[in-house]
Amino acid sequence: MTGEDTPRYTAPADLDGVVAALEGADEGTVLVGGGTMVVPAMTHGHVVPSALVDLGRAGLTGIREEDGATVVGAMTDYASLLAADTDGGPGHPLRLLARAAAGITGGPQIRNRGTLGGSASYANPASDVPGCLVALGARLRLASARGVREVPAQEFFLGAFRTARRPDEVLAELVLPHGDALAWGYVKFKLAESSWPVVTSAAAVLAGGGLRVALGAAADRPVALDVPAPYRGTADPAWRALVADGAARALAARGAAFVDDVLADAHYRAAVTPVIVARAVEGALRGADRQERGRA
């Protein structure tokens, strides 16, 4: 890279500075959070920015409660999610994010550099975060010179490495509604410890007896599934058939389908989806049962 090719670099000291730096930005402007994905992509020439905006000094960290929701700063790293103190029990949204963060590939280096907002913004379909945010019914708070808007997670992820964020916007915070989840389960299926997942699933048992389920890594975007409670158990073939059908319908409704890649083909992903969803639901059911016994 020559001096003429060197991207413009700014490191704003706060959110207002980030918004100012992004005013009039185009697709060539790249935001850098923890840098765990963007920096390697730049190193290999997959991303060639005209401008870099470093979020490391902007103060977009922290976790707070706000109007029945937990709000997480976009630059909050995985280690902070793991260390967060939650008094809301196993159904608290941070419990799901902590469970996902505990299984992030890369060890302490990634847990201390990778950020919740960075993973959401990068939108790698195989990442843990997108599916969890859809399961949580999260809203992504985007800031720009035009103001602040919130986008539901289901609408934020538009495809592989594509989101609803505009070039002049920054993901500032993630809003996680508390909802009526009693407990969460999360499972990801990988072919090797160091590989990306083939399928992930996040599931919650709800206070009314129903389920909330999301599917990740199986397609170019995560989707929420309409899955009934497994009254005959998660091994029931009829229930698993409903899961398979629900997954296909949910993907089609979002203009997506099971994907083929170097890890697995679409047929394999479709075949293992009911198994992975069942395991996530089983984890949520165990958590809800422990909570109920604790109250007895």
Side-chain angles (χ1 to χ4, degrees):
M1 180 176 288
T2 67
E4 293 181 353
D5 296 327
T6 302
R8 299 185 306 277
Y9 175 83
T10 56
D14 54 26
L15 179 58
D16 289 341
V18 175
V19 167
L22 291 176
E23 192 165 5
D26 58 21
E27 298 290 346
T29 300
V30 172
L31 297 170
V32 181
T36 59
M37 297 301 293
V38 169
V39 171
M42 291 172 55
T43 300
H44 293 290
H46 302 316
V47 173
V48 183
S50 59
L52 287 172
V53 179
D54 187 341
L55 303 179
R57 296 175 54 232
L60 304 180
T61 60
I63 300 171
R64 71 180 194 278
E65 300 302 310
E66 176 188 290
D67 299 328
T70 297
V71 180
V72 182
M75 284 289 289
T76 302
D77 58 38
Y78 297 128
S80 297
L81 294 174
L82 285 167
D85 184 19
T86 58
D87 296 326
H92 194 284
L94 289 179
R95 291 294 184 93
L96 173 60
L97 293 180
R99 180 166 296 186
I104 295 290
T105 301
Q109 296 93 333
I110 298 300
R111 287 197 292 272
N112 284 281
R113 290 294 302 173
T115 65
L116 183 63
S119 181
S121 296
Y122 199 67
N124 183 336
S127 175
D128 297 84
V129 168
C132 288
L133 294 179
V134 168
L136 289 166
R139 305 189 304 275
L140 291 90
R141 192 169 281 171
L142 303 165
S144 71
R146 290 173 283 111
V148 176
R149 67 184 181 116
E150 292 185 356
V151 180
Q154 180 89 346
E155 299 172 16
F156 181 77
F157 300 104
L158 303 180
F161 309 102
R162 294 174 52 238
T163 72
R165 186 185 71 83
R166 298 163 183 156
D168 66 338
E169 291 180 316
V170 59
L171 174 57
E173 295 178 318
L174 299 96
V175 183
L176 315 175
H178 289 170
D180 55 351
L182 295 177
W184 289 96
Y186 181 69
V187 173
K188 61 179 175 181
F189 172 59
K190 302 195 298 182
L191 301 180
E193 181 60 31
S194 61
S195 74
W196 288 102
V198 172
V199 173
T200 71
S201 181
V205 174
L206 306 180
L211 298 176
R212 183 183 302 140
V213 178
L215 182 70
D220 68 351
R221 71 203 72 181
V223 293
L225 306 186
D226 184 10
V227 176
Y231 296 111
R232 296 183 179 178
T234 57
D236 177 23
W239 181 80
R240 292 197 175 191
L242 289 175
V243 171
D245 182 66
R249 289 176 180 272
L251 290 171
R254 296 290 296 161
F258 290 104
V259 295
D260 293 301
D261 61 20
V262 295
L263 294 175
D265 61 26
H267 177 77
Y268 184 77
R269 281 188 162 92
V272 301
T273 286
V275 178
I276 303 308
V277 169
R279 292 177 183 173
V281 170
E282 288 164 7
L285 288 169
R286 287 194 298 270
D289 184 60
R290 285 194 297 269
Q291 184 184 35
E292 189 62 30
R293 290 201 307 270
R295 290 174 176 173

